[in-house]
Amino acid sequence: MSARFAIRPGDCHPMGATLDNNGANFAVYSSTATKVELCLFDNSGHTEIARIPLFSDEQGIWHLYIKGLMENQLYGYRIYGEYAPEKGLRHNPNKLLVDPYAKALFGEFSHSDSHRNDGDYFERDSACDMPKCKVINFSTYRAKRPSIPWHKTVIYECHVKGISEQFPLNNAAHRGRYAALCDSNFINHIKTLGVTAIELLPVHAFLDEAFVHSRKLTNFWGYNSLNFFTPHTHYGQQNAHLEFKQMVSTLHAHHIEVIIDVVFNHTAEGNENGPLLSLRGFDNGAYYRLHSDDPSLYINDTGCGNTLNLDHPKTVQLVLDSLRYWYNIMGVDGFRFDLAPILGRNKTGFNSLHTFFQTIAQDPSLKNAKFIAEPWDIGPGGYQLGQFIAPWREWNDQYRDTVRRFWRGDAHMLPHFAHYFHGSNRHFEVKGRASTSSINFITAHDGFTLCDLVSFNHKYNFANQEQNNDGHNENYSYNWGHEGLDAPSDVLKLRTKMQKNMLLTLCLSSGVPMLTGGVECGNSQDGNNNAYCQDNPIGWVNWPQIQKPHEHELYIFITQLLAIRAQYSLYRQNHFIHDNDPRYTVNWCDQHGQIMTDHAWHNEATKALGYHIIDREDNCELLLLFNASEQEVKFELPVLRPTTSQNASWQIKLTTCDSPVNNLAEPKHFIRLSALSAWVLSN
């Protein structure tokens, strides 16, 4: 069927489909195939119009050049070779495969028996149920990047559709799309809040798992990648590739960076019973980690059925090429790596000097990109907080749990709270890393929202149809006397105060603060702490309907906190502060205004403390006061340095109380810290 095309051997690089002025080059990798066919389709994607064998190369690269082939041509691959799962081989030319380097996809994936590889289904052709790859032209991203340093970064984690489906946009047709994040209303909302970077849940092309589809639900979050280069088409309207780049350039024009959540730990092909969609059909043993004693089985350190094999050079190349593409072509500023220890796994466990980390560290095209690790997976030795190397930053779940427990009133939390509030140096400084190595968060997409954290003692995930067995059981949450959202007014008032307490802690801790989209308006998921499959009002941010989002008291409170953070140099530097610091003095104070003693730190009854910072260069002082007890505490204020202030008196800048009494005319006076409150004072 190839007679109508002028074909010749192509180039082995770059991988994927690449257009030039005369045609297109195709290159794919398979070290175990006996034959590789490029399948071309008509514009509908329904009719296969040609099958063209590729030429083989000694490096396992199969290549082809087609003269005259135009942009938007649809294609896929069929791979011939042995189907012997016991040997780790799973080739089947009856299954149309997505190019691992495809830059655009056309059409929908359909769950059907055509993807099965057992019995009579082995010979069933899957092409009608597979999206087709599309040949596109792409160019280097040219817009100016914000290039915001870590010490000025404030992250806003959100989902393209979840954040925008009910947001008051100028154009309602853009809801759920990349275009929504270009909307001036949305940009003004996060810009005024104080955000400098949005971190998007997965935007790589992804699929619903079969078990989720069977329940008539969807993989809403997107942690089930089909392809590592293609923007998810459902977030676009006509051209997802161009619309994503337009979103990035618009956000950049407003000095907001874009970080994307990437899933390089597993793919949508699942376990040994899963379909052949892409990598598995090209070179199963190269792309996936298989059990050495039974290669028909997949190592499952991800809990999602399979694990990407970053020990293989071609898999490392695939991931690095994807990162380069999204950074250099699509314009993103950084990446948050889901289950990041997978990237450094070999047969003996996690290695912070794994080839992948060394390769990415020396890549000149990625030298200015931001890298954030989720530092855990479920494999042996999978918890690796603090073990990544600079310039990586890490999600700090120890910070999250400690802050939650402190404000819940748990005993013996003071020393832990102080450690994590001050930057978590025990985890990061030992390796010479910066104080911004910790990505501090109290909530994220996974788990309770902040509103639910103070409204539910238990999770309520029944809508996920897993008998409430999914999601975390220990959330360190507290409902403050009433389970659920429909609580008496006094309980609701206290819950708002508790949210403010945790937000104040987050925004004024050392490290990089990360807010979860919707926290600024008290977003709830009705107690669902694992809303991964809820593409509905449970998973969408429920923006207030009776007021504008920026009028919500939590929104106003966060803007005040982030303004304070931006004002003080303490938050604009990268080193950990110790007693010998030439510029700063940091003191932890007890309620008598004295330096905390060992007894005070470990006294179960002590739940109040002060954090006193002196900046000798800027001649200013900052005092943060925390009272996590359910009783009022009479707190004696430390003495201001005479050179700091002419009138030498403390002033309240912000508090989580509704109407504080200003009794701070002179130092050494007492301030009454109401129960469960936090305060910011300065000279």
Side-chain angles (χ1 to χ4, degrees), residues 376-395:
W376 52 81
D377 62 34
I378 67 167
Y383 190 76
Q384 295 294 333
L385 178 66
Q387 300 306 308
F388 289 75
I389 58 176
W392 286 72
R393 269 59 183 169
E394 301 177 37
W395 271 28

Side-chain angles (χ1 to χ4, degrees), residues 402 413-424 588 601 609 611:
T402 299
M413 295 308 299
L414 279 187
H416 305 291
F417 177 84
H419 166 67
Y420 290 108
F421 184 87
H422 196 49
S424 312
W588 289 97
W601 279 120
L609 74 167
Y611 182 68

Side-chain angles (χ1 to χ4, degrees), residues 235-248:
Y235 299 154
Q237 291 177 293
Q238 296 180 328
N239 188 321
H241 174 91
L242 294 179
E243 290 165 25
F244 184 92
K245 291 185 75 170
Q246 180 60 50
M247 176 197 73
V248 173

